[in-house]
Amino acid sequence: MTNRLPLPGTRLGSFLAQENRPIAELNLTAVTLLHEPTGARLLHLACEDPNNVFAVGFRTPPPDSTGVAHILEHTVLCGSQKYPVRDPFFAMLKRSLNTFMNAMTSSDWTLYPVASMNRKDFYNLMGIYLDATFFPLLREQDFLQEGHRLDFADPNDPASLMIKGVVFNEMKGAMADPSSLLGRRLNAALFPTNCYGQNSGGEPLDIPELTWEQLRAFHKNYYHPSNSWIFTYGNLPVEGHLEQIERLALSRFEQQDVASAIPLERRLTTPVRSTETFPVGADDKLQQRSMVQMAWLTCPIEDTFERAATGILANLLLGNPAAPLYQALIESGLGRNLAPGTGYHDDYRDTFLAAGLQGTDPEKLPAIEALILDTLARVANEGFPQERIAAALHQYEFANREVTGDQYPYGLGLMMRLFGPWLHADDPFSTLMIDRNLERLRNAAASPEFFPHMIRRHLLDNPHRVTLLLRPDPGHSQREEQAFADQLQKIRLTLDDEAIAGIKAKAAELQNSQEAPEDMSCLPILELADIEAAEPVTPFRQETICGGKTYWFTQPTNGISYLNLQFDIGGLNDSLRPYLPIFCALLPQIGAAGHDYLAMSRRITAATGGIRLGTNLQENPLDLNRMSPVVELKGKALDRNQYALCEILTDMLTAPDFNDLGRLKTVIGQIRTSMENSIPGAGHSFAARAAAASLTPTAALREEWSGMTQIRTIQQASELDDRGLADLAENFRAIAGDLLTTARATLAVTAEESALQSMAPPVAGLLAALPDISGGAEKPPTPFTSRASAIGWLYNVPVAYVSRVFRTVPYTHPDAPTLMVLAKLLRADFLHREIREKGGAYGGMAGYNANGGLFSMLSYRDPHLERTLEVYRQAVAWACRAEFSDEMVKQSILTAFAELDRPLSPGGRGYREFVHQQQGVTHGMLQAFRNSILGTDRKQLGHVARTYLEQGFTASSVGVLAGDEMFSKAQQSLSLIDMQLKRLGSR
């Protein structure tokens, strides 16, 4: 693109342009500007991407672990001077077509990013966030709701005093998660003298110490333009951004000194060890549940080259199964998997490197510590082969060149990459300069002593080293609850009648505020006319090559080729089906075609951006009882490595080696720990899958493959002896022989046009190499009868995840689009208020899976179980009354389109259309669905609520994931719905 951006020294209003840098490898130009009256810094990345991003961030070092920065992040979004409504953040989620809207608190910064494809919407959201951050109301009521408050479980019983609050409950859930706890406790040991040693999210026991006055003072100290970093990205002109930012916020400030700079950590003179605990149930196994992590402070963030080189060193040591430290740890048998957080952390003021094991035992700590140090010493003496260094540099190039954007906007991903160096070293450019960094790294790495010297300097000879043991403790929860009880008892003893009345009055005042209707007219809103009426078309061509059906998608992928390969599972022996997810996880991690797993890992690292397999369920748009289950392979590579990618895939698919039983056991153990680690953060998803399993055959298979049932299968597989593993290996051979054939294969490639042409020969070679045999005879689908169920999974968490799921209609049914709108309406206008604001859960949600025909209500990190199930019943009654205003309906339609039209990466666009082709979802179906959403009205919403939620209530299913105590308290009511309680084998 032509560089028409301001050159250094140019003034645009109160802004002075400082640098203008074209970055050809990312197809963008970066411009930095300074707001001279206040000192606010602004970075603009100009490119052709229509998904524009705005973010304002502040350096917010927490003084303690009361969670002040985190609670402030929540509270500033609860009303501002220009928008004095109770919750403009959640209100705007339903009044815009945002592609991203959130806020986040890190250990040293707080960030408020938004993104939109619509110009009007983009500037609406920018205005909301500027007013929220610089001019928030910070009312006491909002602090009590979002942070913490005292209340009585029974208003007539002063002894029932309790603590409530959204952040309080969020952090209770987070701090019961061993993976999260490991990171927090490691920081505390590694950074004993500065802010990184504090818990910026808040320790549950410390959060109640924070006062409203302290919150307001923290905002006054840090949320000032002189302490702000403002980011914009996309194809809108920067001049418009500057005018808005100046007019809406910065013009009202003058420069002031803000003491937010974070000092370097005081270096330890000798290594230290630390032991911490995490909660487990009284009957839980303690063996192989501990984590051991070693960590070293390395270089300051402002040392740009050293930071980049340390990242490469971490990849060389730990980046793949063939990396020496990774290999030594996993093959030692001292633990099941690498500890969470293993790798290089380069966004703090001091960077650090960590390595360790999970699934271990406390007595193994000395052996793990010795193994790590001995391995580092060996590698420092031997060095790294040049081909390994080249592979690590390739991984760096791939990761930085790839245009992502499927999970969140690509522009936001770039900002997260550069924010740490910009914040602490005034250097927003270095992480974007891929080609320059690669040249410097290649030149330095040409010396055989470069990386060995780094190992000695940063690791072996570095006394600022911490070894942390995190072990399970059945008494942890009891001690914590006793501490809460003591805290409340201490408060209770100070309460006289007047104080008790004051607590009750504040609780009533808050509830009245939550229930009072609000005038939202001050908030901007888009109109339905702002929605793009036409469903976009993703062009492709289709060919048959070597007997396989192929699809070719031209997309601007920045020099990367994406390959998707699906194998139809139809007719596969039913006894093999439960093991397909393990088979998929194993295939890229074992040997093949005479190469052992280490050699395969080196090949994958040297030539690809990753290869992974998984199961997928492609729902039929016409019938909820039909679907196409597939095994799906995804591979990607720089265009210059297309042949190498296809050669690796050929070996992997035609000659996988399941003979190394030790390797199978190791990888299955790694899968187990990864799945177990995912439960606390995704409890609502596991609860919903458990509920849905009895409603459709697709949902039943999804629970079998990715729900708690699959975790149980993996746990059982991880406990097998050699004979059992040999039998399992035979199952994997049977799967490979039946499944990985040309007859079952369908392939898609997404790349730039020239790369599509060069990809055709290696693809033909890959398909020609697959066995040309037919799979098992297609069997008629097993008859499926939908039935209500109530499933409770007991798991050691202090909060609940509660779901109720309804079977509805397939994608092409006329009611499906209206159900999607109803889900948005229920979430925004009922469940958010009742479950989050009143109930104190972190999230109260409704969702509609239009492909699967399932309507769900869910809660996340919820202090309630029975109450939430009752709220779902009330939600149905509320929806059936259909007392929705036209504004509510319009907002819900907008929210539905914000989901439908969320932009994807170039590779993601090709993949989505490929899946549509496999499902039989036509462009006409997509357009009809779109048209029906636009035409949704109040009458239709009431109709689907009565038909599918009210009339379908007794046929719906409940799924809950919670701890023993919550299930015990709800035992009587849960018995009325015949809840079946289940527990994982090791829990």
Side-chain angles (χ1 to χ4, degrees), residues 358-646:
Q358 62 181 314
T360 187
D361 295 299
E363 62 271 18
K364 295 176 181 174
L365 182 148
I368 294 171
E369 198 173 50
L371 174 67
I372 291 173
L373 294 174
D374 290 347
T375 303
L376 291 174
R378 174 174 59 80
V379 176
N381 287 330
E382 296 174 358
F384 295 100
Q386 280 300 316
E387 63 269 19
R388 304 260 187 99
I389 295 172
L393 293 172
H394 163 262
Q395 289 296 310
Y396 173 87
E397 179 184 5
F398 190 99
N400 285 279
R401 191 177 294 280
E402 184 175 22
V403 180
T404 56
D406 292 336
Q407 303 302 318
Y408 52 84
Y410 176 59
L412 180 59
L414 290 176
M415 189 205 175
M416 300 304 289
R417 193 190 304 175
L418 62 81
F419 196 49
W422 188 24
L423 192 76
H424 297 296
D426 196 26
D427 174 21
F429 297 113
S430 62
T431 58
L432 304 179
M433 311 295 285
I434 305 168
D435 291 346
R436 187 193 70 177
N437 295 343
L438 276 170
E439 183 179 4
R440 287 194 66 191
L441 288 165
R442 286 191 180 107
N443 290 338
S447 166
E449 277 300 306
F450 179 70
F451 287 114
H453 181 63
M454 289 187 70
I455 292 173
R456 296 185 190 100
R457 184 172 71 253
H458 286 316
L459 305 177
L460 290 173
D461 299 334
N462 179 4
H464 197 111
R465 185 181 85 219
V466 167
T467 303
L468 173 66
L469 167 66
L470 186 68
R471 61 176 180 81
D473 181 0
H476 181 108
S477 294
Q478 184 178 354
R479 288 195 306 273
E480 198 167 75
E481 289 306 315
Q482 186 60 52
F484 281 122
D486 293 344
Q487 193 176 50
L488 287 170
Q489 178 63 15
K490 185 178 178 180
I491 295 170
R492 269 197 299 267
L493 293 174
T494 68
L495 298 180
D496 55 19
D497 291 345
E498 183 179 352
I500 290 172
I503 292 172
K504 292 180 180 179
K506 284 187 176 181
E509 185 181 347
L510 177 59
Q511 183 170 343
N512 290 336
S513 169
Q514 292 165 339
E515 294 178 347
E518 282 197 293
D519 179 6
M520 297 286 187
S521 60
C522 64
L523 294 173
I525 187 171
L526 295 183
E527 301 300 324
L528 298 187
D530 293 310
I531 296 170
E532 185 65 48
E535 177 71 24
V537 176
T538 302
F540 65 92
R541 69 176 189 269
Q542 183 179 334
E543 299 176 22
T544 299
I545 299 178
C546 298
K549 188 183 292 186
T550 65
Y551 295 80
W552 302 80
F553 300 88
T554 303
Q555 292 288 331
T557 58
N558 199 30
I560 293 175
S561 298
Y562 296 88
L563 185 148
N564 297 101
L565 186 55
Q566 289 188 350
F567 295 95
D568 181 11
I569 292 169
L572 188 72
N573 190 307
D574 287 346
S575 66
L576 301 176
R577 193 182 64 204
Y579 301 107
L580 279 169
I582 305 177
F583 171 85
C584 291
L586 280 169
L587 210 60
Q589 299 192 69
I590 59 173
H595 303 276
D596 65 15
Y597 84 89
L598 297 171
M600 289 298 292
S601 176
R602 293 185 194 113
R603 291 174 69 193
I604 291 170
T605 302
T608 82
I611 297 169
R612 60 189 177 91
L613 287 87
T615 54
N616 196 6
L617 295 161
Q618 297 176 158
E619 296 96 340
N620 188 292
L622 304 172
D623 185 352
L624 293 185
N625 287 332
R626 292 168 55 203
M627 47 85 183
S628 172
V630 297
V631 158
E632 190 168 65
L633 180 151
K634 295 183 178 181
K636 53 189 178 181
L638 297 172
D639 292 342
R640 65 176 183 261
N641 291 325
Q642 291 173 336
Y643 272 94
L645 170 65
C646 290

Side-chain angles (χ1 to χ4, degrees), residues 809-963:
V809 292
Y811 183 83
T812 51
H813 192 284
D815 288 341
T818 311
L819 283 161
M820 185 175 188
V821 177
L822 179 64
K824 304 302 181 188
L825 196 152
L826 259 179
R827 175 177 185 167
D829 293 295
F830 190 88
L831 293 175
H832 173 75
R833 179 182 70 243
E834 296 297 324
I835 292 177
R836 180 184 166 107
E837 292 184 351
K838 292 185 184 180
Y842 187 69
M845 300 159 277
Y848 181 60
N849 177 355
N851 286 312
L854 295 172
F855 191 103
S856 307
M857 289 185 273
L858 313 98
S859 71
Y860 186 79
R861 289 183 177 163
D862 190 346
H864 303 286
L865 198 168
E866 289 176 282
R867 179 188 180 276
T868 299
L869 288 173
E870 180 56 30
V871 166
Y872 294 159
R873 188 179 295 275
Q874 295 167 2
V876 171
W878 178 83
C880 289
R881 290 196 295 273
E883 296 170 351
F884 317 131
S885 67
D886 291 343
E887 187 84 345
M888 290 165 67
V889 175
K890 180 173 78 171
Q891 291 172 0
S892 300
I893 292 172
L894 285 168
T895 312
F897 275 102
E899 177 183 330
L900 275 184
D901 292 345
R902 194 170 301 280
L904 296 171
S905 68
R909 287 193 291 273
Y911 172 71
R912 180 174 61 181
E913 183 59 30
F914 175 51
V915 171
H916 282 162
Q917 293 299 314
Q918 302 316 296
Q919 287 178 287
V921 174
T922 67
H923 183 267
M925 291 176 185
L926 296 168
Q927 186 65 59
F929 195 91
R930 190 178 193 88
N931 294 344
S932 294
I933 290 179
L934 277 169
T936 298
D937 59 29
R938 182 176 63 82
K939 183 178 178 181
Q940 291 172 318
L941 289 164
H943 163 72
V944 298
R946 288 186 292 272
T947 302
Y948 303 106
L949 305 188
E950 184 181 49
Q951 296 173 24
F953 198 86
T954 57
S956 67
S957 291
V958 170
V960 177
L961 189 146

